[in-house]
Amino acid sequence: MSQKIYVGIDVGGTAIKVGLCNENGDLLHTYEGPTETNKGTDAILENIAAYARAIVAESSYEWEQVGGVGVGIAGFLDIPSGYIKFAPNLKIRDVNLKDYLEAKLATKVLVNNDANVAALGEAWAGAGKGIDHCVCYTLGTGVGGGIIIGGKIVEGFAGMAGELGHIAIVPDLEAIQCGCGKMGCLETVSSATGIIRMAKDAVERGDRTTLAQVTDIMAKDVIDAAKAGDEVAMRIVSRAAYYLGRSMALMAVVLNPECFIIGGGVSKAGEFLFEQIREVFEKYTQKEAKDGVKIIPATLGNNAGVVGAAGLILRS
Amino acid sequence: MSQKIYVGIDVGGTAIKVGLCNENGDLLHTYEGPTETNKGTDAILENIAAYARAIVAESSYEWEQVGGVGVGIAGFLDIPSGYIKFAPNLKIRDVNLKDYLEAKLATKVLVNNDANVAALGEAWAGAGKGIDHCVCYTLGTGVGGGIIIGGKIVEGFAGMAGELGHIAIVPDLEAIQCGCGKMGCLETVSSATGIIRMAKDAVERGDRTTLAQVTDIMAKDVIDAAKAGDEVAMRIVSRAAYYLGRSMALMAVVLNPECFIIGGGVSKAGEFLFEQIREVFEKYTQKEAKDGVKIIPATLGNNAGVVGAAGLILRS
């Protein structure tokens, strides 16, 4: 009964996912409950605490074995203090989540942003297992990122490290404005949203593409069309891959990670996408900074968040 | 007599500089001797060991107080093992400097590359004193760099982290080839060499500039002309500042450092240069990643190397 376990919580707008890990990052048990965002901040906080208790109660472990609780959450945080300045998708403002949960759960609690936590999950127990120095991309609605050095998350002065989606990588002459207000951010071209936008633009201007027959184009449609040989779709996917590869060439001389891990919906395009990214990385990266460096898919899927959150306690 | 002291050695092609520091990074004593590169590898190694002994003998401290010796050296290194693969300016190949010095000096020795070591010096005891998270640029013949996170050098998988001069920041259409073989590296525009090249190009193509009267243009001539209002020189300095600022905007969303420290000969241009860099950084950086972030001059000058080398022992 002396084995320690770690609770990882991934707070999303719809569901709160919880995982129990051992000290190796093995996912022992999972639990999921509704966030109930519509019921307001107090209800959300109570749910987080209740689900943490529930997963341990459901498992074969005792609460006394819990070595700590980690939480991943999207929003503007003061990471060291565990303070939520603003979590837009939860409509939570000005709450100290760490203090709240430590009082409720009587164990150490650490809070970090969702992209950092997912990166830590992959680095600790996923695609990067055994690698202390990696850079993770999550290609979803935006492009999320997380940087792991010496096995730990790099948070930055104001928690803004690893915001890889906001690297200004598209040259000014070809750039469009990002949601953040700046021009040419990576996520304007390499996120699902970016891919969909480029596809819709192509259809609207009358490019000859099978995507013109698709109503409500999704990123997967563009990738499937590209794989089937549609030239317009191929150009769009190549552009997404090109700027990812260029951003990795930058990372290689800044951080020289041992591996780049790519997850998120768009990464499901698989080797078709990865080969294009590797080709660009190979072309634009100095020899010493690319030798032996791997660009590989994430392996934990939707569990990266709960595993990484559990890992916060051991890797801080 | 129980106070520990740390020996820092900065091995250059002409001179070997040595410094003694206490645990706060205060530089207590300095020493300098010729490298004698022309006498070959054995002589250079013997000089390094002899000068380390000499600085302590000259000082009021005893060798028994030495807590370790750090060495900064330019070249391709295997940092963890202290192995020099190739140091071009010393013509040294395939030597384990750490093992050699540990045997000769009977104390712990750590070896790192010169730019990393200078960055650590500034972060530990110079412009970044008290700041754990900074990015340092050295604007000299090339653009050197070093990244300090949590008070420690980020080395990278193959020791290539912090190679800020090789960030491909100049858009392809305006890029020229760098000495490294890649296009558009920061050091093609923001190093002394880059500034001189742009000035010579301007003179050769007949631009109206006071630099046309200068034989053997140096970077300082270009900066002085720019300060005096020469429009061609102003454009060149602005370009150097622009790409520095853009590279810092990238760093801000990747590492979100608390400060950027700029040293090296070109940085002596002072506020004239720094103001331009800050303006670009301000314009191109996301609010959350730039708030409170400082761009400041290095303060240790040529001593950054010996101080940082001494710091290797305490910050590893």
Side-chain angles (χ1 to χ4, degrees), chain B residues 31-97:
Chain B
Y31 183 96
E32 187 169 331
T35 311
E36 303 188 297
T37 305
N38 58 314
K39 293 192 183 170
T41 298
D42 289 352
I44 298 171
L45 297 181
E46 281 167 27
N47 284 339
I48 295 172
Y51 302 160
R53 291 277 185 189
I55 191 173
V56 179
E58 261 192 21
S59 78
S60 60
Y61 301 90
E62 304 294 329
W63 186 260
E64 288 63 39
Q65 291 176 267
V66 174
V69 173
V71 185
I73 194 163
F76 297 97
L77 311 174
D78 181 60
I79 295 172
S81 68
Y83 189 87
I84 303 173
K85 296 176 200 168
F86 182 40
N89 59 345
L90 302 170
K91 301 189 182 67
I92 293 180
R93 271 185 200 277
D94 298 317
V95 169
N96 192 309
L97 182 60

Side-chain angles (χ1 to χ4, degrees), chain A residues 237-260:
Chain A
V237 175
S238 292
R239 195 158 184 253
Y242 175 82
Y243 288 112
L244 280 167
R246 289 298 300 251
S247 76
M248 291 174 192
L250 290 177
M251 292 300 104
V253 288
V254 173
L255 293 169
N256 186 24
E258 183 168 351
C259 76
F260 294 95

Side-chain angles (χ1 to χ4, degrees), chain A residues 133 147 156-163 166-167 172 180 182 246 250-251 253-256 258 283 285-286 288, chain B residues 133 147 156-163 166-167 172 180 182 246 250-251 253-256 258 283 285-286:
Chain A
H133 200 54
I147 294 166
F157 174 51
M160 287 293 286
E163 292 285 343
H166 298 289
I167 295 175
D172 293 353
C180 78
K182 297 294 169 188
R246 289 298 300 251
L250 290 177
M251 292 300 104
V253 288
V254 173
L255 293 169
N256 186 24
E258 183 168 351
K283 178 172 177 187
T285 308
Q286 283 78 359
E288 296 79 10
Chain B
H133 200 54
I147 294 166
F157 174 50
M160 288 291 289
E163 293 283 344
H166 298 289
I167 295 174
D172 294 353
C180 79
K182 296 294 168 190
R246 289 296 303 251
L250 289 177
M251 293 301 105
V253 289
V254 174
L255 293 169
N256 186 26
E258 183 169 350
K283 179 171 175 187
T285 309
Q286 283 79 0

Side-chain angles (χ1 to χ4, degrees), chain A residues 19 35 38 159 275:
Chain A
T35 311
N38 58 315
E275 278 169 16

Side-chain angles (χ1 to χ4, degrees), chain A residues 129-154:
Chain A
K129 188 157 189 165
I131 296 175
D132 268 359
H133 200 54
C134 53
V135 172
C136 305
Y137 289 74
T138 305
L139 311 180
T141 310
V143 172
I147 294 166
I148 309 297
I149 293 179
K152 292 177 182 172
I153 295 170
V154 177

Side-chain angles (χ1 to χ4, degrees), chain B residues 144-202:
Chain B
I147 294 166
I148 309 296
I149 293 179
K152 293 178 185 174
I153 295 170
V154 177
E155 292 162 3
F157 174 50
M160 288 291 289
E163 293 283 344
L164 306 180
H166 298 289
I167 295 174
I169 194 77
V170 184
D172 294 353
L173 291 172
E174 304 171 28
I176 65 157
Q177 193 172 35
C178 178
C180 79
K182 296 294 168 190
M183 302 294 291
C185 292
L186 180 62
E187 72 175 37
T188 64
V189 284
S190 300
S191 63
T193 314
I195 290 171
I196 293 166
R197 175 190 59 78
M198 291 188 281
K200 288 185 174 167
D201 284 355

